[in-house]
């Protein structure tokens, strides 16, 4: 279910000009002709390959138009000319985000963000929820994902990644989540930072761009929790924590392994609950419960879904929690 765009809006939002305006409306975006859908806009990016080399393929595969930095006048394909196609796509994504009325969740962290995102989508329901595809969490994937969000969706779940400082700040400024999640702070991409504190600072950039009155969900067992918590308070955000720590809002009390699933016992909102979960990371589950709470989703109505959940392909690491 792709969004539908008026070509005039795209020209205005993307600060670009059509060489000829399409007769039909645009149905979503693609940066790869191998998965280009009928009626979509092909975005010619200059990355490992120059997307302008594939404009003829985009036309033959049914693209309604193409976002370009230089027009190919040998084609009948309508082309939207911009100074820089990536900047234009990001501008379109930012303007389109402003008119979305559903709830946006932004997820970052050193590990667990893709699994958390995928599982949350399953819990909320495919018809109501749009997810970042795969790990499209960088400067290309995030604006592309935002531009493929449908106005009819109730929820948009976006993974926000980074390899260096400043990236999460730029991407989360596009996403503008109502709810942010920082799964943990680890040593991924440490080669680009002086130390792990630099990673924590970079991950905390998400906090700066959460919508006013929004929430941030933090790992109470993480050694950088206090740093993140203080920053969240500075930005007047509601904070929810998860973990084994006794002061966690979503507090794990006990785990019992039962074959290929586990029964976990949790306290939140001064209530004791138990939950059967499949082969998934328990910390991911705790973070998910916090998100569901903020979205006002009744956990009792979806409890059975947890037992059927599995890790995303190639994802996950098991933790022993005593």
């Amino acid at each position: 279910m792709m969004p539908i765009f008026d070509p005039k809006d795209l020209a205005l939002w993307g600060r670009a000009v059509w060489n000829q305006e399409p007769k039909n409306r645009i149905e979503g975006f693609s940066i790869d002709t191998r998965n280009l859908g009928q009626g979509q806009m092909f975005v010619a990016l200059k990355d490992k390959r120059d997307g302008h080399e594939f404009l003829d393929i985009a036309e033959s595969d049914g693209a309604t138009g193409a976002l370009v930095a230089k027009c190919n006048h040998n084609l009948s394909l309508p082309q939207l000319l911009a100074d820089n196609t990536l900047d234009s796509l990001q501008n379109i994504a930012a303007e389109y985000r402003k008119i979305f009325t559903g709830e946006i969740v932004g997820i970052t962290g050193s590990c667990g963000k893709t699994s958390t995102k995928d599982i949350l989508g399953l819990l909320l329901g495919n018809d109501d929820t749009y997810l970042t595809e795969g790990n499209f969490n960088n400067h290309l994937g995030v604006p592309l994902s935002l531009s493929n969000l449908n106005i009819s969706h109730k929820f948009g779940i976006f993974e926000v990644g980074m390899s260096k400082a400043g990236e999460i700040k730029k991407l989360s400024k596009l996403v503008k989540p109502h709810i942010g999640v920082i799964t943990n702070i680890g040593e991924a991409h440490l080669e680009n930072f002086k130390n792990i504190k630099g990673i924590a600072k970079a991950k905390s950039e998400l906090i700066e761009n959460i919508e006013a009155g929004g929430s941030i969900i933090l790992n109470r067992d993480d050694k950088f929790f206090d740093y993140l918590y203080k920053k969240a308070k500075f930005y007047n955000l509601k904070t929810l924590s998860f973990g084994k720590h006794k002061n966690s809002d979503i507090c794990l009390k006990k785990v019992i392994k039962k074959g290929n699933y586990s029964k976990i016992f949790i306290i939140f909102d001064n209530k004791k609950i138990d939950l059967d979960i499949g082969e998934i990371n328990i910390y991911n589950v705790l973070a998910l419960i916090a998100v569901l709470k903020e979205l006002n989703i009744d956990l009792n109505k979806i409890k059975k879904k947890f037992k059927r959940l599995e890790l995303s392909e190639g994802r996950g690491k098991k933790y022993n929690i005593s």
Side-chain angles (χ1 to χ4, degrees), residues 263-276:
K263 182 178 286 290
I264 62 174
F265 298 84
I266 302 167
I267 295 178
F268 77 100
D269 283 345
N270 296 316
K271 299 176 183 176
K272 294 181 180 179
I273 66 166
D274 61 88
L275 197 65
D276 293 332

PDB file of all heavy atoms in Angstrom, residues 263-276:
ATOM      1  N   LYS A 263       9.098 -18.219  29.845  1.00  0.00           N
ATOM      2  CA  LYS A 263       8.081 -17.462  30.561  1.00  0.00           C
ATOM      3  C   LYS A 263       8.805 -16.396  31.370  1.00  0.00           C
ATOM      4  O   LYS A 263       9.710 -16.708  32.157  1.00  0.00           O
ATOM      5  CB  LYS A 263       7.250 -18.354  31.480  1.00  0.00           C
ATOM      6  CG  LYS A 263       6.133 -17.593  32.211  1.00  0.00           C
ATOM      7  CD  LYS A 263       5.288 -18.515  33.081  1.00  0.00           C
ATOM      8  CE  LYS A 263       4.368 -19.367  32.247  1.00  0.00           C
ATOM      9  NZ  LYS A 263       3.268 -18.555  31.617  1.00  0.00           N
ATOM     10  N   ILE A 264       8.451 -15.154  31.139  1.00  0.00           N
ATOM     11  CA  ILE A 264       9.091 -14.073  31.863  1.00  0.00           C
ATOM     12  C   ILE A 264       8.064 -13.395  32.766  1.00  0.00           C
ATOM     13  O   ILE A 264       6.868 -13.336  32.449  1.00  0.00           O
ATOM     14  CB  ILE A 264       9.745 -13.040  30.917  1.00  0.00           C
ATOM     15  CG1 ILE A 264       8.699 -12.361  30.025  1.00  0.00           C
ATOM     16  CG2 ILE A 264      10.805 -13.703  30.052  1.00  0.00           C
ATOM     17  CD1 ILE A 264       9.266 -11.229  29.165  1.00  0.00           C
ATOM     18  N   PHE A 265       8.548 -12.896  33.889  1.00  0.00           N
ATOM     19  CA  PHE A 265       7.697 -12.234  34.874  1.00  0.00           C
ATOM     20  C   PHE A 265       8.167 -10.786  34.994  1.00  0.00           C
ATOM     21  O   PHE A 265       9.344 -10.521  35.242  1.00  0.00           O
ATOM     22  CB  PHE A 265       7.774 -12.959  36.218  1.00  0.00           C
ATOM     23  CG  PHE A 265       7.279 -14.382  36.151  1.00  0.00           C
ATOM     24  CD1 PHE A 265       8.129 -15.402  35.731  1.00  0.00           C
ATOM     25  CD2 PHE A 265       5.964 -14.696  36.496  1.00  0.00           C
ATOM     26  CE1 PHE A 265       7.680 -16.721  35.665  1.00  0.00           C
ATOM     27  CE2 PHE A 265       5.510 -16.005  36.425  1.00  0.00           C
ATOM     28  CZ  PHE A 265       6.366 -17.023  36.009  1.00  0.00           C
ATOM     29  N   ILE A 266       7.226  -9.877  34.820  1.00  0.00           N
ATOM     30  CA  ILE A 266       7.534  -8.446  34.725  1.00  0.00           C
ATOM     31  C   ILE A 266       6.629  -7.654  35.656  1.00  0.00           C
ATOM     32  O   ILE A 266       5.479  -8.037  35.897  1.00  0.00           O
ATOM     33  CB  ILE A 266       7.310  -7.949  33.284  1.00  0.00           C
ATOM     34  CG1 ILE A 266       8.189  -8.742  32.304  1.00  0.00           C
ATOM     35  CG2 ILE A 266       7.610  -6.463  33.138  1.00  0.00           C
ATOM     36  CD1 ILE A 266       7.792  -8.533  30.865  1.00  0.00           C
ATOM     37  N   ILE A 267       7.162  -6.550  36.164  1.00  0.00           N
ATOM     38  CA  ILE A 267       6.347  -5.597  36.919  1.00  0.00           C
ATOM     39  C   ILE A 267       6.358  -4.262  36.182  1.00  0.00           C
ATOM     40  O   ILE A 267       7.421  -3.735  35.855  1.00  0.00           O
ATOM     41  CB  ILE A 267       6.870  -5.399  38.349  1.00  0.00           C
ATOM     42  CG1 ILE A 267       6.738  -6.701  39.154  1.00  0.00           C
ATOM     43  CG2 ILE A 267       6.109  -4.267  39.050  1.00  0.00           C
ATOM     44  CD1 ILE A 267       7.268  -6.594  40.562  1.00  0.00           C
ATOM     45  N   PHE A 268       5.171  -3.752  35.879  1.00  0.00           N
ATOM     46  CA  PHE A 268       5.057  -2.376  35.410  1.00  0.00           C
ATOM     47  C   PHE A 268       3.677  -1.846  35.747  1.00  0.00           C
ATOM     48  O   PHE A 268       2.712  -2.592  35.868  1.00  0.00           O
ATOM     49  CB  PHE A 268       5.364  -2.252  33.914  1.00  0.00           C
ATOM     50  CG  PHE A 268       4.286  -2.683  32.970  1.00  0.00           C
ATOM     51  CD1 PHE A 268       3.457  -1.763  32.360  1.00  0.00           C
ATOM     52  CD2 PHE A 268       4.132  -4.024  32.645  1.00  0.00           C
ATOM     53  CE1 PHE A 268       2.488  -2.147  31.470  1.00  0.00           C
ATOM     54  CE2 PHE A 268       3.165  -4.424  31.748  1.00  0.00           C
ATOM     55  CZ  PHE A 268       2.330  -3.482  31.161  1.00  0.00           C
ATOM     56  N   ASP A 269       3.614  -0.558  35.964  1.00  0.00           N
ATOM     57  CA  ASP A 269       2.392   0.086  36.459  1.00  0.00           C
ATOM     58  C   ASP A 269       1.909  -0.571  37.754  1.00  0.00           C
ATOM     59  O   ASP A 269       0.697  -0.719  37.977  1.00  0.00           O
ATOM     60  CB  ASP A 269       1.281   0.021  35.406  1.00  0.00           C
ATOM     61  CG  ASP A 269       1.473   1.041  34.300  1.00  0.00           C
ATOM     62  OD1 ASP A 269       2.289   1.959  34.493  1.00  0.00           O
ATOM     63  OD2 ASP A 269       0.802   0.919  33.267  1.00  0.00           O
ATOM     64  N   ASN A 270       2.871  -0.995  38.587  1.00  0.00           N
ATOM     65  CA  ASN A 270       2.570  -1.645  39.870  1.00  0.00           C
ATOM     66  C   ASN A 270       1.757  -2.933  39.717  1.00  0.00           C
ATOM     67  O   ASN A 270       1.035  -3.341  40.624  1.00  0.00           O
ATOM     68  CB  ASN A 270       1.814  -0.673  40.792  1.00  0.00           C
ATOM     69  CG  ASN A 270       2.657   0.528  41.161  1.00  0.00           C
ATOM     70  OD1 ASN A 270       3.835   0.391  41.492  1.00  0.00           O
ATOM     71  ND2 ASN A 270       2.060   1.718  41.093  1.00  0.00           N
ATOM     72  N   LYS A 271       1.867  -3.535  38.529  1.00  0.00           N
ATOM     73  CA  LYS A 271       1.181  -4.798  38.288  1.00  0.00           C
ATOM     74  C   LYS A 271       2.194  -5.875  37.906  1.00  0.00           C
ATOM     75  O   LYS A 271       3.187  -5.594  37.257  1.00  0.00           O
ATOM     76  CB  LYS A 271       0.163  -4.645  37.147  1.00  0.00           C
ATOM     77  CG  LYS A 271      -0.938  -3.638  37.415  1.00  0.00           C
ATOM     78  CD  LYS A 271      -1.829  -3.488  36.188  1.00  0.00           C
ATOM     79  CE  LYS A 271      -2.890  -2.426  36.410  1.00  0.00           C
ATOM     80  NZ  LYS A 271      -3.713  -2.209  35.180  1.00  0.00           N
ATOM     81  N   LYS A 272       1.915  -7.091  38.336  1.00  0.00           N
ATOM     82  CA  LYS A 272       2.748  -8.225  37.954  1.00  0.00           C
ATOM     83  C   LYS A 272       2.105  -8.913  36.752  1.00  0.00           C
ATOM     84  O   LYS A 272       0.917  -9.211  36.772  1.00  0.00           O
ATOM     85  CB  LYS A 272       2.867  -9.220  39.106  1.00  0.00           C
ATOM     86  CG  LYS A 272       3.625  -8.679  40.311  1.00  0.00           C
ATOM     87  CD  LYS A 272       3.724  -9.737  41.399  1.00  0.00           C
ATOM     88  CE  LYS A 272       4.481  -9.203  42.614  1.00  0.00           C
ATOM     89  NZ  LYS A 272       4.570 -10.234  43.694  1.00  0.00           N
ATOM     90  N   ILE A 273       2.892  -9.130  35.706  1.00  0.00           N
ATOM     91  CA  ILE A 273       2.377  -9.859  34.557  1.00  0.00           C
ATOM     92  C   ILE A 273       3.378 -10.941  34.170  1.00  0.00           C
ATOM     93  O   ILE A 273       4.576 -10.838  34.459  1.00  0.00           O
ATOM     94  CB  ILE A 273       2.122  -8.946  33.344  1.00  0.00           C
ATOM     95  CG1 ILE A 273       3.435  -8.374  32.803  1.00  0.00           C
ATOM     96  CG2 ILE A 273       1.152  -7.842  33.662  1.00  0.00           C
ATOM     97  CD1 ILE A 273       3.298  -7.766  31.440  1.00  0.00           C
ATOM     98  N   ASP A 274       2.891 -11.993  33.541  1.00  0.00           N
ATOM     99  CA  ASP A 274       3.774 -13.010  32.992  1.00  0.00           C
ATOM    100  C   ASP A 274       3.501 -13.105  31.499  1.00  0.00           C
ATOM    101  O   ASP A 274       2.403 -12.830  31.027  1.00  0.00           O
ATOM    102  CB  ASP A 274       3.550 -14.361  33.675  1.00  0.00           C
ATOM    103  CG  ASP A 274       2.140 -14.876  33.497  1.00  0.00           C
ATOM    104  OD1 ASP A 274       1.883 -15.559  32.486  1.00  0.00           O
ATOM    105  OD2 ASP A 274       1.291 -14.586  34.363  1.00  0.00           O
ATOM    106  N   LEU A 275       4.529 -13.488  30.767  1.00  0.00           N
ATOM    107  CA  LEU A 275       4.455 -13.470  29.317  1.00  0.00           C
ATOM    108  C   LEU A 275       5.274 -14.622  28.765  1.00  0.00           C
ATOM    109  O   LEU A 275       6.423 -14.821  29.168  1.00  0.00           O
ATOM    110  CB  LEU A 275       5.015 -12.133  28.819  1.00  0.00           C
ATOM    111  CG  LEU A 275       4.728 -11.674  27.406  1.00  0.00           C
ATOM    112  CD1 LEU A 275       3.243 -11.422  27.224  1.00  0.00           C
ATOM    113  CD2 LEU A 275       5.514 -10.401  27.129  1.00  0.00           C
ATOM    114  N   ASP A 276       4.707 -15.388  27.848  1.00  0.00           N
ATOM    115  CA  ASP A 276       5.455 -16.430  27.146  1.00  0.00           C
ATOM    116  C   ASP A 276       6.044 -15.823  25.882  1.00  0.00           C
ATOM    117  O   ASP A 276       5.328 -15.198  25.090  1.00  0.00           O
ATOM    118  CB  ASP A 276       4.531 -17.593  26.762  1.00  0.00           C
ATOM    119  CG  ASP A 276       4.009 -18.338  27.980  1.00  0.00           C
ATOM    120  OD1 ASP A 276       4.700 -18.343  29.010  1.00  0.00           O
ATOM    121  OD2 ASP A 276       2.911 -18.918  27.899  1.00  0.00           O
TER     122      ASP A 276
END
